[in-house]
Amino acid sequence: MATEIKVPTLGESVSEATVARWLKKVGDAVAADEALVELETDKVTLEVNAPSAGTLAEIVAADGANVGVGALLGVLGEAGAAVAAPAKAAAPAAAPAPAAAPAPAGNAALADAGPAARKMVAEKGLDAAQIAGTGKDGRITKGDVIDHAAKPAAAPAAAPAAAPQKYQWTAGTAGDRPRAAQEERVRMTRLRQRIAERLKEAQNSAAMLTTFNEVDMTNVMALRNEYKDFFEKRHKVRLGFMSFFVKAAIQALKEIPAVNAEIDGTDLVYKNYYDIGVAVGTPQGLVVPIVRDADKLGFAQIEGKIGELGKKGRDGKLSMDELTGGTFTISNGGVYGSLMSTPIINPPQSAILGMHKTQERPVVVNGKIEIRPMMYLALSYDHRIIDGKEAVTFLVRIKENIEDPRRLLLDV
């Protein structure tokens, strides 16, 4: 009995997906719950598994096809069932016999010419159409042939000089491009399209501004180095810097609630929960999984959750629930070597914190120049919600918490 393979529910507000690739071919044996096909949505790549064991009998939606929820992807036959070979294409109909070539112009006049004129035209290989007949009714005479043969052959018309090639290509069109042979055109994935739309949406809708500060990482690095081995042995997870920044951000969010708010029509929605998004780079693009209720988690739980979500993101296994509903985002461009940037808000959130590379720099400490590990911090925020004073205060609080991590333990 054949079983239909259909597009499952894709998540809240997602109604369409693209068939990324089939993992099985027609005729392949399939085990129950084995992955058959990958679907790509605006946010995640998900696998559709076989509802039962059998043989893949038919692929209805090929790679690259756009499909809606409930659409038919393929058909699964019974295990061991023979798969019908595709019908051979019908033999092409015999080509019609070519029409007889039209008689050259001038043959009619030559047919009425005398035998001597016809013989001379054939011997000299002349084109009767080029000979002006002076006989009765325009017939060609022998004299006409002699006169025509005596005329010098006309020189072929010179080909017009080639005009210099001009490229008239406009960006965004599919016309000829100046160096098309050295380019590769690749269709954007759904995730990349969605990233582009959301980033442009943020720039178009928010009154976005960025404020900067720098933080001395000396104390937090010393604390981490002192306890990282014991921490990993105790909690089975490595102690990184992200958990310190998540904790520091939550304390600052509690003090400056506007940074944890969003605009909904003509209302401001202040959120009394702290779902922190942590930007993760994947082969498909940037995704922002959410650490839910981060204010209720300890350092080890935050580090464990970030590690888990990061791995799922790189493997394309994140669910829709893990990608939606964040209240504030932290992005760490420092892992790629970025020294400073202006991160773009993840709508409908009102702010995003950008971490950067830690680099030793000379700074003045108590009137003396010292070499310290310094990091630039950037806070991009929606000026419609957050005033400049609030944004600067928020970033200063994070700086204070990182430079003296004891504040995170004492909640001061």
Side-chain angles (χ1 to χ4, degrees):
M1 179 178 177
T3 303
E4 293 184 336
I5 306 163
K6 294 188 176 182
V7 178
T9 301
L10 300 173
E12 184 181 357
S13 76
V14 180
S15 59
E16 191 179 55
T18 298
V19 178
R21 63 178 179 133
W22 278 89
L23 306 175
K24 297 290 183 179
K25 301 187 295 292
V26 172
D28 286 354
V30 179
D33 292 327
E34 186 175 3
L36 290 175
V37 58
E38 288 183 351
L39 300 181
E40 185 181 73
T41 71
D42 296 345
K43 297 183 178 180
V44 295
T45 298
L46 57 94
E47 293 178 346
V48 177
N49 298 329
S52 60
T55 301
L56 184 57
E58 182 182 2
I59 291 177
V60 176
D63 292 2
N66 293 330
V67 290
V69 175
L72 183 63
L73 293 169
V75 178
L76 196 65
E78 294 181 359
V83 178
K88 294 183 178 179
N107 279 6
L110 185 61
D112 294 334
R118 292 199 301 271
K119 181 180 179 182
M120 186 174 290
V121 167
E123 288 175 351
K124 294 182 178 296
L126 301 175
D127 183 1
Q130 303 297 324
I131 302 174
T134 60
K136 185 179 179 181
D137 297 328
R139 294 176 183 174
I140 299 173
T141 65
K142 183 178 179 180
D144 295 332
V145 177
I146 294 173
D147 291 342
H148 180 79
K151 295 178 181 179
Q165 188 174 9
K166 295 182 179 180
Y167 295 117
Q168 297 181 347
W169 174 81
T170 303
T173 66
D176 294 335
R177 295 170 61 94
R179 306 185 70 173
Q182 296 173 275
E183 298 175 341
E184 180 183 5
R185 185 180 292 269
V186 179
R187 182 180 179 184
M188 292 174 69
T189 64
R190 275 187 172 271
L191 177 59
R192 175 54 57 188
Q193 293 178 44
R194 184 58 175 160
I195 290 172
E197 291 171 4
R198 287 181 65 81
L199 293 181
K200 193 59 182 173
E201 174 192 345
Q203 288 186 320
N204 291 341
S205 62
M208 194 156 56
L209 190 63
T210 305
T211 185
F212 300 93
N213 213 317
E214 62 179 352
V215 57
D216 185 345
M217 298 287 289
T218 300
N219 291 333
V220 74
M221 289 177 68
L223 181 63
R224 176 180 178 270
N225 289 335
E226 183 177 355
Y227 290 103
K228 65 179 181 180
D229 293 336
F230 181 75
F231 185 93
E232 184 174 359
K233 183 178 179 180
R234 175 76 175 270
H235 300 290
K236 310 302 181 186
V237 64
R238 290 184 178 182
L239 177 62
F241 294 117
M242 186 60 77
S243 55
F244 288 95
F245 278 92
V246 170
K247 285 287 190 180
I250 291 171
Q251 282 199 14
L253 289 170
K254 290 180 178 179
E255 182 178 347
I256 313 293
V259 183
N260 205 44
E262 69 175 65
I263 290 179
D264 184 13
T266 57
D267 296 331
L268 291 177
V269 181
Y270 292 92
K271 301 169 185 176
N272 298 316
Y273 56 93
Y274 304 92
D275 291 347
I276 307 300
V278 179
V280 175
T282 73
Q284 295 78 31
L286 186 73
V287 294
V288 187
I290 310 300
V291 178
R292 304 285 179 191
D293 295 317
D295 58 315
K296 301 176 182 178
L297 304 179
F299 283 83
Q301 292 170 303
I302 292 174
E303 291 289 355
K305 194 63 177 177
I306 291 173
E308 174 192 339
L309 293 172
K311 184 179 185 304
K312 292 176 73 173
R314 289 185 290 273
D315 294 341
K317 305 294 185 182
L318 288 168
S319 68
M320 295 298 297
D321 182 63
E322 291 169 324
L323 289 166
T324 55
T327 64
F328 180 76
T329 295
I330 300 176
S331 176
N332 186 6
V335 297
Y336 306 110
S338 174
L339 191 60
M340 184 178 290
S341 67
T342 55
I344 299 177
I345 297 169
N346 184 23
Q349 297 172 20
S350 62
I352 178 173
L353 174 68
M355 298 166 54
H356 299 93
K357 178 182 178 181
T358 300
Q359 188 175 56
E360 289 189 339
R361 290 198 296 272
V363 295
V364 178
V365 180
N366 298 324
K368 298 179 181 179
I369 296 178
E370 296 185 13
I371 304 299
R372 292 292 184 96
M374 305 297 293
M375 177 193 289
Y376 288 117
L377 298 179
L379 180 74
S380 293
Y381 60 99
D382 190 343
H383 214 337
R384 297 177 302 167
I385 307 175
I386 305 167
D387 292 332
K389 177 185 176 182
E390 293 174 314
V392 172
T393 302
F394 177 88
L395 202 53
V396 168
R397 290 294 177 269
I398 291 180
K399 169 184 169 71
E400 292 172 346
N401 287 332
I402 296 299
E403 291 185 340
D404 184 2
R406 295 173 299 179
R407 298 170 63 100
L408 299 175
L409 303 177
L410 301 175
D411 195 18
V412 295

